[in-house]
Amino acid sequence: RLSLKGIIINDKNEVLVVKEADRDFWDVPGGGMDHGETIKDALAREMYEEVSLSGDFEYQIIAIEDPAYLESANILQVRLIFHITPVTMEFAPGVDGDEIGFVSIASLKDSSAWSESLIYKYASIVVKDV
């Protein structure tokens, strides 16, 4: 299964993060690609579901992770990480996002949460001097 994740950086070099339902850690918005979707369609759907992104955006792949086994779903997953540049920077929690916000990239550097340390890793690709 392919999982698409989006790194969105604001003009203060902060990264957009989301807490999904029943989770107590930050992640970047994104999720699984559905059969028949294009990459842009899947990114648009996931960004809308989690952070209410509407409107057009540009995207560029910045990383591909090795496959990982997800025991909870009994699947192998490959995560594709994209830098997303929306036309408008207006966000709100979506149907799959309980809480959203922009956080300092540097504040995630030493996080003990696996997803937060990955946010730092990938956001640092986009913003060089964190």
Side-chain angles (χ1 to χ4, degrees):
R1 176 168 191 197
L2 290 178
S3 175
L4 311 179
K5 294 291 193 172
I7 300 289
I8 298 173
I9 306 293
N10 67 11
D11 59 356
K12 298 177 184 175
N13 283 338
E14 298 168 321
V15 63
L16 180 63
V17 293
V18 61
K19 282 187 184 173
E20 293 182 44
D22 302 323
R23 294 187 181 172
D24 62 353
F25 56 88
W26 292 113
D27 200 353
V28 290
M33 186 174 185
D34 291 339
H35 181 74
E37 283 184 311
T38 65
I39 288 175
K40 187 161 188 180
D41 288 345
L43 284 170
R45 178 182 51 76
E46 285 294 340
M47 296 304 115
Y48 181 76
E49 290 174 356
E50 294 189 12
V51 297
S52 299
L53 174 64
S54 61
D56 201 15
F57 58 89
E58 294 182 11
Y59 65 99
Q60 178 181 13
I61 193 159
I62 59 172
I64 302 171
E65 295 179 353
D66 287 331
Y69 177 67
L70 296 180
E71 187 174 337
S72 61
N74 191 29
I75 60 170
L76 279 176
Q77 176 177 270
V78 174
R79 288 179 13 139
L80 308 176
I81 315 301
F82 294 86
H83 176 213
I84 296 176
T85 307
V87 171
T88 59
M89 295 287 282
E90 297 177 14
F91 306 99
V95 295
D96 291 344
D98 286 345
E99 186 179 348
I100 67 167
F102 280 94
V103 299
S104 159
I105 298 167
S107 71
L108 301 170
K109 182 177 182 179
D110 296 320
S111 175
S112 60
W114 170 80
S115 64
E116 293 175 4
S117 62
L118 283 176
I119 296 169
Y120 173 80
K121 174 182 175 180
Y122 295 127
S124 295
I125 293 170
V126 177
V127 179
K128 302 296 183 201
D129 296 319
V130 179

